[in-house]
C-alpha cells in the first residue's frame, strides 16, 4: 500500500500529515515542533507533481506531494486509470486540502517571498497547528485505525 | 474531447463539423467539475489504440506527473500511455463558453459560444491529432527497427 498525501504545494498540510502518519510528529505537537519538521515549507511550485518519500510505515511507502488545483482531480484520475488499464496497485490518496484555513493560506503565500519567509513559515505553522486534530483524523482514517 | 473524437474517427478531418455534429458527440459540453479526472472512452484509433478524453482544468502537468510517479513507485505495469495536452489549441470563445455553460449553468449562452470556438479551432485540433499520430508511428517504427 502506498500512502499519497497531497495538498496545493506539498509544503505544509501534506508534509505534516505524512509526519503524523510516520509518528515523526505527535498529534499533541506544538507550533515549534511543526516548524522543526524537515520538509515543512520546503517544496515549491516547481516541485508540484513530484512526490517526496517521507518514510515507510510497516513497509508501506508514505509520500506527500503538491498537486496545485488538481488535488480533487488526481484521485479520480488515478482511480480511473488503474481501473481502465487493469492495473493492480494498492494506494490511498488523501486530499489534505480540506484541512486548510485562512492562516495557512496567508502563511503559505507570504513564505514564497524571500524576505518574508520566516513570518510566512510561522503563520503557516500556526494555521496547521490550529487544524492538527483534523489532519490527524485524516491520517487515522487513511491508516484505517 | 473534440481532439479525441477526431482521433477516434467520430468527426471528419477534412471539413469543419456543424454545430449539430459537435453537440451530438458523447460528453460534448456535458462535464461538470466533479467529472474532471475521469477517463472517458471515445473509441479506437487507426492503429487499434484506445482513445480517451479527460478534463484536468489547469492542473494537467502536476496531476499527470504525480500519477506517473505513483505508478513507478508501485512498480505497476501500466502499458504505453500517451498524454496529449490540448490546452494549446483552446481559444477565448471556448473558455468563455465553457465558463458560461458549465460553471454558471448558462447553457443557452455558453454552448453556442463553445461550439463556435471549437469550429474556429478545428484545423488546429486536427493538426494536433495528426502530429500525435505521426509521433506514435515514428516511435513504433523506431522500436521495430531496434527489434530487428
Amino acid at each position: 500500500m502506498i500512502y499519497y498525501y497531497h495538498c496545493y504545494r506539498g509544503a505544509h498540510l501534506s508534509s505534516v500529515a505524512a509526519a503524523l502518519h510516520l509518528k515523526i510528529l505527535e498529534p499533541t505537537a506544538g507550533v515549534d515542533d511543526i516548524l522543526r519538521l524537515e520538509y515543512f515549507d520546503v517544496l515549491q511550485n516547481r516541485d508540484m507533481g513530484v512526490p517526496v518519500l517521507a518514510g515507510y510505515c510497516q513497509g508501506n511507502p508514505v509520500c506527500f506531494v503538491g498537486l496545485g488545483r488538481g488535488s480533487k482531480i488526481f484521485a479520480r484520475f488515478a482511480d480511473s486509470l488503474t481501473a481502465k488499464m487493469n492495473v493492480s496497485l494498492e494506494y490511498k490518496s488523501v486530499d489534505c486540502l480540506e484541512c486548510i484555513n485562512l492562516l495557512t493560506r496567508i502563511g503559505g503565500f507570504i513564505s514564497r517571498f524571500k524576505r518574508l519567509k520566516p513570518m510566512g513559515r510561522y503563520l503557516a505553522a500556526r494555521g496547521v497547528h490550529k487544524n492538527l486534530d483534523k489532519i490527524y483524523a485524516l491520517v487515522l482514517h487513511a491508516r484505517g485505525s | 474531447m473534440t481532439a479525441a473524437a477526431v482521433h477516434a474517427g467520430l468527426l471528419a478531418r477534412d471539413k469543419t463539423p456543424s454545430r449539430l455534429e459537435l453537440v451530438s458527440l458523447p460528453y460534448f459540453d456535458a462535464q461538470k467539475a466533479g467529472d474532471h479526472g475521469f477517463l472517458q472512452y471515445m473509441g479506437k484509433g487507426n492503429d487499434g489504440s484506445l482513445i480517451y478524453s479527460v478534463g484536468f482544468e489547469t492542473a494537467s502537468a502536476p496531476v499527470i506527473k504525480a500519477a506517473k510517479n505513483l505508478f513507478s513507485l508501485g512498480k505497476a505495469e501500466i502499458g504505453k500511455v500517451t498524454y496529449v495536452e490540448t490546452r494549446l489549441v483552446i481559444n477565448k470563445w471556448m473558455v468563455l463558453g465553457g465558463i458560461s455553460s458549465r460553471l454558471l449553468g448558462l447553457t443557452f449562452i455558453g454552448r453556442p459560444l463553445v461550439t463556435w470556438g471549437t469550429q474556429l479551432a478545428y484545423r488546429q485540433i486536427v493538426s494536433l491529432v495528426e502530429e500525435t499520430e505521426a509521433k506514435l508511428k515514428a516511435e513504433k517504427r523506431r522500436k521495430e527497427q531496434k527489434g530487428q
Side-chain angles (χ1 to χ4, degrees):
Chain A
M1 173 72 82
I2 300 168
Y3 294 94
Y4 233 49
Y5 290 96
H6 50 86
C7 58
Y8 189 86
R9 211 171 75 187
H12 305 115
L13 297 167
S14 57
S15 67
V16 166
L20 283 168
H21 189 123
L22 293 164
K23 296 181 180 162
I24 296 168
L25 193 73
E26 291 298 320
T28 53
V31 175
D32 288 342
D33 300 313
I34 295 170
L35 283 167
R36 270 196 294 272
L37 284 175
E38 194 184 350
Y39 281 107
F40 186 76
D41 196 49
V42 171
L43 293 190
Q44 298 300 322
N45 282 2
R46 60 174 177 271
D47 304 314
M48 279 180 188
V50 181
V52 174
L53 179 61
Y56 290 87
C57 171
Q58 296 167 344
N60 299 310
V62 178
C63 306
F64 59 90
V65 61
L67 291 173
R69 289 167 179 263
S71 233
K72 285 205 164 62
I73 294 173
F74 174 77
R76 295 194 284 259
F77 177 60
D79 288 349
S80 184
L81 197 59
T82 43
K84 302 264 185 201
M85 301 291 157
N86 288 323
V87 178
S88 61
L89 177 67
E90 272 191 64
Y91 66 91
K92 224 168 229 178
S93 97
V94 186
D95 183 9
C96 301
L97 261 186
E98 48 191 86
C99 300
I100 200 160
N101 53 24
L102 191 62
L103 217 50
T104 314
R105 251 183 230 273
I106 295 171
F109 179 73
I110 291 176
S111 81
R112 291 185 199 180
F113 304 99
K114 222 175 180 180
R115 285 189 179 175
L116 301 172
K117 197 166 178 68
M119 190 168 79
R121 267 174 64 86
Y122 179 73
L123 287 179
R126 284 283 302 268
V128 169
H129 180 252
K130 225 174 163 184
N131 274 0
L132 204 59
D133 288 350
K134 258 175 128 178
I135 303 172
Y136 190 56
L138 269 185
V139 171
L140 288 179
H141 190 258
R143 277 205 307 226
S145 53
Chain B
M1 194 249 105
T2 309
V6 171
H7 199 151
L10 300 181
L11 290 172
R13 296 181 184 203
D14 51 352
K15 71 169 185 70
T16 305
S18 66
R19 193 174 160 265
L20 192 66
E21 279 177 299
L22 284 174
V23 296
S24 317
L25 287 172
Y27 313 117
F28 188 85
D29 194 40
Q31 281 215 332
K32 290 189 179 128
D35 300 324
H36 294 160
F38 287 119
L39 292 177
Q40 298 160 325
Y41 180 70
M42 294 301 292
K44 279 188 177 181
N46 287 336
D47 56 352
S49 50
L50 305 174
I51 316 291
Y52 293 93
S53 75
V54 56
F56 284 130
E57 294 173 21
T58 54
S60 56
V63 170
I64 291 171
K65 214 190 275 181
K68 281 181 179 174
N69 283 315
L70 174 68
F71 293 125
S72 63
L73 191 67
K75 294 181 179 84
E77 197 49 65
I78 190 161
K80 170 120 180 81
V81 181
T82 305
Y83 300 94
V84 185
E85 176 65 80
T86 54
R87 277 175 64 201
L88 311 162
V89 297
I90 289 176
N91 55 36
K92 60 183 173 190
W93 304 113
M94 290 157 95
V95 175
L96 267 174
I99 292 172
S100 320
S101 174
R102 298 292 89 210
L103 204 66
L104 306 175
L106 305 171
T107 317
F108 63 100
I109 301 172
R111 193 161 293 171
L113 274 178
V114 84
T115 312
W116 188 48
T118 308
Q119 286 172 320
L120 288 179
Y122 194 68
R123 275 308 328 147
Q124 289 160 281
I125 297 171
V126 172
S127 300
L128 182 73
V129 172
E130 287 173 348
E131 275 169 34
T132 308
E133 286 176 330
K135 265 186 214 165
L136 291 174
K137 264 185 199 164
E139 264 176 42
K140 202 176 172 186
R141 221 176 296 135
R142 263 200 304 274
K143 265 187 190 169
E144 281 170 0
Q145 280 169 352
K146 268 187 188 174
Q148 279 174 357

